[in-house]
Amino acid sequence: MDDTKLTASEWNMLNCLWGDSPRTVMQLVAELEKSVGWAKSTTITTLRRMEDKGLVRCEQAGRGKAYYPAVEREQAVVAETHSFLDRVYQGSVGLMMSAMARRQELGADEVAQLRAILDEIEGGSVQ
């Protein structure tokens, strides 16, 4: 997963599977049509491509197939965060936080959460 960057379509599919799996093709078709307006063919094509890339796996379940995510949500989030930081902020968390704070995009609760995280890091209890 480290070198795989997920497309928006792959995020949609994985979010659906992370929320509830295993899922059949028809369950995925219904969910993705409702949430993002996909046609059945789009869902099937996306599933096939993601299976080829190793992002989803399937098992035979009766007459159909059951689909599961092959990557953990946390793994995908961390990889996407690193990619975003590298592309937009040259890998600098400080630069990103500065840009957000200067535009007042951080609420008081978020600032408190960040302070708590920084306190934990300084105390050596976060890995």
Side-chain angles (χ1 to χ4, degrees):
M1 172 72 215
D2 293 334
D3 60 348
T4 301
K5 292 180 181 49
L6 299 176
T7 66
S9 295
E10 291 166 347
W11 276 104
N12 286 327
M13 182 69 71
L14 285 170
N15 277 323
C16 191
L17 289 169
W18 286 324
D20 184 22
S21 63
R23 305 283 292 265
T24 66
V25 170
M26 293 314 295
Q27 288 171 323
L28 290 166
V29 166
E31 176 66 25
L32 291 164
E33 192 222 354
K34 182 174 67 173
S35 64
V36 291
W38 285 4
K40 181 179 179 180
S41 61
T42 303
T43 299
I44 292 169
T45 299
T46 302
L47 271 173
R48 188 183 73 245
R49 289 179 180 162
M50 290 178 72
E51 192 174 3
D52 290 345
K53 289 171 78 174
L55 298 172
V56 298
R57 62 183 178 83
C58 72
E59 296 175 1
Q60 199 64 35
R63 292 174 31 163
K65 293 181 178 180
Y67 287 86
Y68 300 82
V71 294
E72 297 292 325
R73 182 189 305 263
E74 181 69 18
Q75 180 186 13
V77 167
V78 167
E80 184 71 18
T81 301
H82 283 291
S83 174
F84 172 77
L85 279 173
D86 289 345
R87 280 182 288 117
V88 179
Y89 295 102
Q90 296 78 47
S92 172
V93 173
L95 186 59
M96 179 187 73
M97 296 310 300
S98 174
M100 293 175 73
R102 291 183 195 283
R103 289 177 180 78
Q104 300 176 344
E105 294 178 18
L106 297 175
D109 289 344
E110 292 168 317
V111 170
Q113 288 174 343
L114 285 171
R115 279 196 180 110
I117 291 167
L118 293 172
D119 289 346
E120 284 180 38
I121 291 169
E122 285 179 348
S125 61
V126 173
Q127 300 193 6

